[in-house]
Amino acid sequence: MPNNPAQIGSFRCGPGERLLVIAGPCVLETADAALEIAERLATMAEATGVQLIFKASFDKANRTSIDSYRGPGLEEGLRMLEQVRTATGLMTTTDIHEPSQAEPVSQVCDLLQIPAFLVRQTDLLVAAARTGKAVNAKKGQFLAPADMRHVVGKLAASGCENILLCERGTFFGYGRLVNDMQSIPLMKELGPPVVFDATHSVQQPGGLGGKTGGNRAMVEPLARAAMALGCDGLFCETHPDPDSSPSDGPNMVPLDDLPAMIERLLAIRETVGRFS
């Protein structure tokens, strides 16, 4: 049975622990931009008391269009994440898309992330588990919450003791996602802590023709509901100027707005905790 609370470096995610927040830009752009965001997130974490892991992707391998920006690639992306860790002390995470990426990413990142579209890929899960690092597995947009038990089983059988399950919305027809909030308690029954991805949940896949749209106004309402249902962590992409971001701008939270939103979510979580 996976650990709950899950251990991620010095952090513990689960019941009775401080809120885990996984935050950062959707994709790495420049080293300076990543450091600017990470430094502000580190300041926010200190002020609010959350456990914060910096997230950014070195490659967005599932972009809508061949012309879309994908990122700096594995080698340069890991250099940027290492710089973030050295300069700010923050732990880091990023997506892996191929089994061969698991080991080099584990040398820099404290948490490996499995993209939702790839969460059934057995070889990818096994490679991530064998690194010995914690793994955040995003529920596929096409999966029922209970089906994530097979993901947990693959990771656990391959030696992963610290697993996070992440709710990020479910396909609702074409070009839209919805959240069945039952997925949070249902996935919690599988054993691992559950994280709520508030920004990818408001995506509108293919909504802008050659790229994905979204509605960032719905990020906080959904995150509030997730806190009320007892999620153990929050995944939230953020950017100083989301509309200029090369990926997922419409659903990202402006960096200036994030600290106040986190404070409001913590107030809900504290209230719910008194009745648990």
Side-chain angles (χ1 to χ4, degrees):
M1 178 65 71
N3 293 333
N4 192 355
Q7 192 79 38
I8 308 160
S10 60
F11 291 168
R12 285 167 58 85
C13 178
E17 304 294 338
R18 291 182 294 141
L19 182 68
L20 180 74
V21 176
I22 302 170
C26 179
V27 65
L28 288 162
E29 299 171 50
T30 67
D32 287 345
L35 282 172
E36 175 193 351
I37 296 170
E39 286 167 354
R40 291 179 62 181
L41 289 173
T43 298
M44 182 194 77
E46 185 174 357
T48 60
V50 300
Q51 306 179 101
L52 194 133
I53 297 175
F54 178 84
K55 178 270 166 187
S57 298
F58 60 82
D59 180 21
K60 302 303 291 184
N62 61 350
R63 295 303 305 273
T64 303
S65 168
I66 190 69
D67 298 318
S68 297
Y69 175 73
R70 289 181 52 165
L74 177 64
E75 187 173 334
E76 180 61 24
L78 290 181
R79 271 199 292 266
M80 291 184 190
L81 291 170
E82 179 64 38
Q83 288 173 350
V84 164
R85 184 169 70 171
T86 300
T88 66
L90 291 175
M91 288 191 278
T92 60
T93 187
T94 194
D95 306 286
I96 61 171
H97 300 89
E98 302 172 6
S100 62
Q101 295 173 345
E103 184 57 33
V105 169
S106 74
Q107 299 303 310
V108 174
C109 294
D110 305 272
L111 176 68
L112 274 60
Q113 183 167 286
I114 306 297
F117 281 128
L118 300 177
V119 77
R120 284 173 55 100
Q121 297 296 105
T122 302
D123 289 346
L124 186 63
L125 294 171
V126 170
R130 287 179 175 169
T131 66
K133 293 297 180 77
V135 175
N136 180 28
K138 291 198 162 188
K139 181 180 75 64
Q141 302 93 322
F142 44 85
L143 288 178
D147 290 338
M148 289 296 284
R149 70 184 185 275
H150 302 299
V151 175
V152 174
K154 291 177 183 180
L155 287 167
S158 304
C160 186
E161 298 179 345
N162 297 294
I163 301 169
L164 307 179
L165 298 181
C166 186
E167 161 60 26
R168 53 92 72 231
T170 301
F171 284 134
F172 187 70
Y174 299 122
R176 187 179 175 199
L177 299 173
V178 295
N179 286 100
D180 178 1
M181 286 298 179
Q182 296 177 90
S183 67
I184 294 174
L186 288 172
M187 287 199 295
K188 285 173 77 76
E189 291 177 1
L190 302 179
V194 174
V195 175
F196 180 71
D197 181 344
T199 44
H200 287 104
S201 289
V202 302
Q203 276 185 334
Q204 296 166 352
L208 298 178
K211 56 184 179 179
T212 293
N215 181 9
R216 72 173 65 100
M218 289 293 105
V219 169
E220 184 169 345
L222 289 174
R224 289 184 180 191
M227 292 296 135
L229 282 162
C231 71
D232 303 297
L234 176 74
F235 180 103
C236 185
E237 290 184 336
T238 186
H239 193 281
D241 180 17
D243 292 332
S244 71
S245 170
S247 178
D248 275 359
N251 17 293
M252 282 199 282
V253 174
L255 190 55
D256 285 343
D257 297 344
L258 187 61
M261 186 185 90
I262 294 295
E263 292 280 13
R264 291 189 290 269
L265 297 179
L266 287 172
I268 294 171
R269 191 168 189 258
E270 181 180 358
T271 300
V272 171
R274 293 200 292 266
F275 297 96
S276 299

